[in-house]
Amino acid sequence: MVLFIILNILDYVSTRSALSLGGIEANPIARLFISYNLLWLYKAVMVVAIIFLIHLLYRKHGEKRALFYYKLSSVILFLVVHWNVIMIIKSGLMN
C-alpha cells in the first residue's frame, strides 16, 4: 500500500503543478473539488476508499484478487502521474 500512497501524493503534487501552468483536470469529480480548493480532500477520500475496497476484496476473495486490483490501481495511477509530468514538461517548453 505504500506505493499506492506515494503515487497518490505524486498525483496530487503533479496535478497542482499542471493546473498552475494552465492545465485542466480531466476528471469531472476532481474538477468540482478543485473549484472549491479541496483537491486534497478528494485525494484523501479516494485513497481511503480504494484501500478499503482492496481490503474487502482480500477478505472475501483472497490475496490473489486483492493483489491484482492493488497492482491495477497502482499502474493506472502511475500512468496518470506520467501524463501529468509530460504535460508539465510540455507546458514548460512552450513558455
Side-chain angles (χ1 to χ4, degrees), residues 30-40:
R31 199 169 39 235
L32 176 66
F33 279 82
I34 289 167
S35 70
Y36 292 101
N37 200 26
L38 293 173
L39 179 61
W40 63 271

Side-chain angles (χ1 to χ4, degrees), residues 1 49-61 66:
M1 289 294 151
I50 291 171
I51 290 173
F52 177 73
L53 290 172
I54 289 172
H55 176 73
L56 288 179
L57 277 169
Y58 174 78
R59 290 183 56 135
K60 185 168 179 145
H61 299 288

Side-chain angles (χ1 to χ4, degrees), residues 60-77:
K60 185 168 179 145
H61 299 288
E63 182 178 352
K64 189 174 181 179
R65 186 172 292 179
L67 192 56
F68 170 79
Y69 284 104
Y70 166 71
K71 288 178 180 179
L72 179 63
S73 299
S74 295
V75 167
I76 291 169
L77 202 48

